Amino acid sequence: MTETDNREGAQPARRSAASEGACRGLGSRTAKQGASMLGAEAVVASLEAEGVTTVFGYPGGQAIKLYDALYGSEQITHVLARHEQGAVHMADGYARATGRPGVVMVTSGPGATNTVTGIATAYMDSVPLVVITGQVGRGVIGTDSFQESDIVGITMPVVKHSYLLQSTDELTRTIREAFHIAVTGRPGPVLIDIPSDVAGEEMVFEYPDEVSLPSYKPTYRGNAKQIRTACRLLEEAEQPLLYVGGGVVSSGATEELVALMDAMQVPAVVTLMGKGGVPASHPLNLGPVGMHGAKYSNMAMTEADLIIAAGARFSDRVTGRVSEFAPNAKIVHIDIDPAEIGKIRDADVPIVGDLKGVLAGMLECLAKAGAAPRDDQWVADIAAWRERYPFYHPNMAVNEEEDEIVPELVIAELGRQLDPDASIVTTEVGQHQMWAHQFLHRERPRTFLSSGGLGTMGFGFPAAIGAAVARPEATVVCIAGDGSFQMNSQEMATAAINGVPVKVMILDNRCLGMVHQWQKLFYGRRYSQTLLAPVPDFVKLAEAYGWEGERVEAPGEVAGAIARMLAAPGPYLLDVAISPEQNVYPMVAPGAALDNVMGAIDVAVGAVRTDVPAASGSPRARTAGAPSGAASPCAKIDAQFGGRWEVDPQDTGARLGQDGSTVDVRPEDWKTLFRAGDEGKEDRR
């Protein structure tokens, strides 16, 4: 496969100005071009030439010259974080919400090392950042001088590229290259380490418009032969599926992706990073897949005979046990980063290129061939699975305490009250993150921001501040857990002082929920260091920072409290009390195959969760007369019903395969479950 192919079917790269090497701002046309200035002033002038309007950061001794130069900028607003990690997450949220690179400026030593988690978070999720760190003078580098750290060496595994400036002669070229590298190809963070004596040297400011990097030539144009091969496989497939990752957001490929779904009636499953890349309201969007994905999405992935991975990287949280992942499927893998193709799962058709352009090429190829869906049975099958295995069912209410807040319904209520066209949601990491992925519908890209690859607790709140700075017209809400929120709660000061009206909704279970859930299910309820004391009082904490805040403890209070939160003119914290016994379901156990799903709701057996023990002392366990901590009645298998789980051993109501059941075939095989006609059913009997 070649990087450039001009044969019939190859599509021109649909590039942004950044990918073509153009400055985002005035570039060399800046009024400062040719002026004499200090290196620090040239750094600020370079940022202005790139069109930067916001910098997040925290000053210090070795960055003092940079901050002195920043003081005189009329173009750039600086947002002072309360911790360098928070500053990087803010820049990350800014970048995710806009597609433009976020910019960070910090000092040397601990200031620089505090950025590492934020940089790694952006690197794992392919977010463009330019991180500028102050450094000790060139003459003392390597002597362990005060507040010296080798930040270039420390961050090397988690940056797309890094620079240690040695001279003012390379200053403007380096900054120009840094922005170019950050946003082109697969986006990512770039670090520039600037010694303080370089910042203090006199120089003539000459900002370049062009970038010359012979060894860095990202492939944008997909290979024409590979595109035609992918189209042929799609035409021949009976059960095709799109597996959509964050590349659809980075590439801006939503329009092309939806057009392909419509033209060929291809359903799509969506990763955490791809959320919003396909409108939630689209009937072929199956939503979350993987460890906490829908059972019907996982079934579709397992039964597909063709999977088109569109800007996705086959994360372990999606694939489950790789050796058993999609056993019947051929794989078309589209990615702008060639290192991702074949890394986890071999591709039958690898296509290196920009997703937007490749999908456009596929659409043109299919149109020329007069391609059409083979039949509608696959879509009908998935629709039936979707009806049978919903994320939530009203009948579940009988298994909940009347006075207990159900977190899934809280998320759904927030979604009902948010304007999908004028809102951004960020999440922290944990159970609340998965509930948000499952129950919060997003219609547009760049409106759901979450730490996917690194899973960084403490990301969501500062990222929400960055998103709100970037898009002040949008309502920005951070969905948090009480554990995650406390990782960077000091940034409440940043929001208050800068008048950023961000909203935080904490699902407060006074434990580290996701680890607590794993300990419950897989470690014999040995809750080692996951139970959090009821400290702090989050409402009082909000008041201390000048925020509004309230706590709700009853289901009937939730809707009104969310309305008050969204209507508040300034920052607002809503503390929602939930039980530590609440679990995120469905779930594929770590290391299990994708079709081994626990806790899925099965409407055919009474709309209860299958293959999962009841919580100790829960209504379900008490109803069954079970002792505390015992398995629920759902954990008793009745082979008569195909190995499915019963609602209750004494229940004599209609069951799968019985008269009155809504499903009249036996679940012997996913593929044939909803397809067999009367003759097929007789044969199996």
Side-chain angles (χ1 to χ4, degrees):
M1 183 168 56
T2 59
E3 290 189 355
T4 303
D5 192 328
N6 292 317
R7 291 170 292 174
E8 182 182 356
Q11 293 301 304
R14 300 193 176 192
R15 305 184 183 186
S16 64
S19 69
E20 293 173 346
C23 297
R24 282 147 292 278
L26 290 171
S28 63
R29 294 178 290 110
T30 174
K32 295 181 179 179
Q33 190 81 342
S36 294
M37 59 184 67
L38 297 177
E41 295 170 324
V43 170
V44 174
S46 297
L47 297 179
E48 292 173 337
E50 284 289 340
V52 173
T53 58
T54 306
V55 170
F56 303 87
Y58 203 95
Q62 302 302 338
I64 196 167
K65 295 182 179 71
L66 299 173
Y67 271 87
D68 184 65
L70 192 61
Y71 187 83
S73 177
E74 296 181 357
Q75 175 178 315
I76 298 174
T77 298
H78 183 275
V79 177
L80 177 63
R82 291 312 186 260
H83 190 281
E84 289 89 353
Q85 180 184 344
V88 182
H89 291 326
M90 289 177 200
D92 186 322
Y94 181 99
R96 295 189 200 219
T98 63
R100 301 192 298 271
V103 181
V104 181
M105 188 179 292
V106 299
T107 194
S108 66
T113 59
N114 279 345
T115 67
V116 173
T117 298
I119 293 171
T121 300
Y123 179 77
M124 290 287 282
D125 289 346
S126 305
V127 178
L129 297 181
V130 174
V131 180
I132 298 171
T133 55
Q135 183 56 278
V136 299
R138 287 169 292 182
V140 294
I141 290 177
T143 66
D144 295 330
S145 60
F146 179 66
Q147 289 194 335
E148 178 192 358
S149 64
D150 178 10
I151 193 61
V152 170
I154 290 168
T155 59
M156 193 168 290
V158 292
V159 295
K160 191 174 178 183
H161 196 61
S162 56
Y163 297 88
L164 172 60
L165 281 186
Q166 299 291 342
S167 166
T168 54
D169 293 341
E170 62 190 34
L171 189 152
T172 56
R173 174 179 56 81
T174 295
I175 294 176
R176 180 72 190 95
E177 289 178 2
F179 277 88
H180 177 80
I181 292 170
V183 299
T184 52
R186 180 178 182 174
V190 178
L191 182 135
I192 309 172
D193 200 24
I194 304 179
S196 59
D197 58 328
V198 173
E201 282 187 358
E202 285 279 348
M203 61 173 289
V204 175
F205 181 74
E206 298 286 349
Y207 198 73
D209 288 322
E210 300 300 320
V211 174
S212 178
L213 295 169
S215 62
Y216 176 68
K217 299 292 183 184
T219 300
Y220 279 84
R221 190 190 306 274
N223 180 273
K225 181 180 178 181
Q226 300 295 82
I227 288 174
R228 290 195 296 270
T229 302
C231 290
R232 187 182 69 250
L233 290 180
L234 181 54
E235 290 183 80
E236 296 171 351
E238 294 182 353
Q239 299 177 170
L241 186 69
L242 276 158
Y243 159 37
V244 180
V248 69
V249 177
S250 297
S251 179
T254 293
E255 181 181 348
E256 289 77 9
L257 186 69
V258 171
L260 181 62
M261 292 167 65
D262 289 339
M264 298 299 291
Q265 286 297 285
V266 185
V269 295
V270 181
T271 70
L272 184 73
M273 297 308 301
K275 189 175 179 69
V278 181
S281 59
H282 195 289
L284 292 174
N285 182 356
L286 306 185
V289 66
M291 177 172 280
H292 292 293
K295 181 167 182 174
Y296 51 81
S297 297
N298 288 0
M299 290 169 72
M301 190 77 96
T302 302
E303 291 300 325
D305 60 7
L306 175 68
I307 290 175
I308 301 174
R313 59 185 182 87
F314 294 91
S315 161
D316 60 290
R317 283 300 194 264
V318 168
T319 64
R321 186 182 301 154
V322 177
S323 62
E324 297 182 29
F325 172 74
N328 307 312
K330 292 183 177 180
I331 304 293
V332 174
H333 193 174
I334 308 166
D335 205 292
I336 201 164
D337 183 358
E340 288 296 340
I341 296 180
K343 186 173 77 174
I344 306 296
R345 173 67 184 263
D346 289 338
D348 297 279
V349 183
I351 304 177
V352 178
D354 175 61
L355 182 61
K356 186 179 182 73
V358 171
L359 291 178
M362 290 183 67
L363 285 166
E364 183 173 335
C365 182
L366 290 166
K368 286 181 178 179
R374 287 179 66 94
D375 60 57
D376 59 2
Q377 186 62 59
W378 174 235
V379 173
D381 288 349
I382 292 175
W385 296 340
R386 197 170 191 166
E387 184 176 351
R388 179 172 173 179
Y389 303 111
F391 268 129
Y392 192 84
H393 192 281
N395 287 358
M396 288 295 292
V398 300
N399 293 319
E400 306 288 355
E401 295 278 12
E402 290 185 2
D403 60 348
E404 186 175 296
I405 294 175
V406 180
E408 294 96 326
L409 300 185
V410 175
I411 300 292
E413 179 60 33
L414 174 65
R416 279 192 290 271
Q417 295 196 32
L418 282 174
D419 180 351
D421 295 324
S423 62
I424 295 173
V425 174
T426 74
T427 79
E428 291 290 351
V429 171
Q431 288 179 310
H432 60 277
Q433 178 188 34
M434 295 298 100
W435 284 319
H437 189 25
Q438 293 173 345
F439 287 88
L440 190 80
H441 301 311
R442 298 278 83 189
E443 295 295 314
R444 299 179 181 276
R446 303 195 181 280
T447 62
F448 185 84
L449 317 181
S450 191
S451 172
L454 200 63
T456 305
M457 294 175 68
F459 163 83
F461 173 43
I465 294 175
V469 169
R471 291 195 47 201
E473 80 288 355
T475 299
V476 181
V477 180
C478 171
I479 299 173
D482 49 310
S484 279
F485 181 69
Q486 292 182 75
M487 291 282 186
N488 275 310
S489 60
Q490 77 282 341
E491 302 306 337
M492 296 177 78
T494 305
I497 292 168
N498 289 279
V500 182
V502 66
K503 319 301 180 188
V504 175
M505 185 174 76
I506 300 176
L507 296 183
D508 187 356
N509 56 10
R510 298 299 177 177
C511 70
L512 301 178
M514 190 60 82
V515 184
H516 186 270
Q517 176 172 331
W518 282 37
Q519 289 173 334
K520 179 190 304 179
L521 296 177
F522 311 122
Y523 292 88
R525 297 176 180 269
R526 293 164 61 86
Y527 298 128
S528 178
Q529 305 304 314
T530 56
L531 301 175
L532 302 179
V535 176
D537 181 323
F538 286 111
V539 175
K540 290 182 178 178
L541 182 68
E543 292 171 353
Y545 279 108
W547 287 40
E548 290 186 77
E550 68 176 298
R551 177 176 170 85
V552 296
E553 299 180 340
E557 301 172 347
V558 171
I562 290 175
R564 288 188 291 276
M565 175 183 73
L566 297 179
Y572 197 102
L573 184 146
L574 176 59
D575 185 22
V576 182
I578 65 171
S579 168
E581 294 300 325
Q582 293 280 0
N583 295 322
V584 180
Y585 290 123
M587 182 179 186
V588 176
L594 199 60
D595 60 356
N596 187 8
V597 180
M598 67 168 69
I601 293 171
D602 190 344
V603 173
V605 291
V608 296
R609 297 198 184 279
T610 61
D611 193 14
V612 59
S616 173
S618 72
R620 189 182 303 167
R622 291 197 299 271
T623 300
S628 177
S632 83
C634 295
K636 182 176 180 179
I637 298 178
D638 186 337
Q640 176 187 354
F641 306 127
R644 300 286 171 178
W645 305 95
E646 287 191 293
V647 182
D648 187 300
Q650 310 303 319
D651 189 348
T652 59
R655 286 290 185 276
L656 189 66
Q658 293 183 340
D659 291 339
S661 171
T662 57
V663 180
D664 60 357
V665 295
R666 297 178 183 177
E668 297 169 353
D669 170 56
W670 279 356
K671 186 178 292 186
T672 60
L673 182 57
F674 294 100
R675 287 193 176 179
D678 292 337
E679 298 154 300
K681 283 184 272 184
E682 289 298 324
D683 289 342
R684 285 194 304 277
R685 288 171 186 157

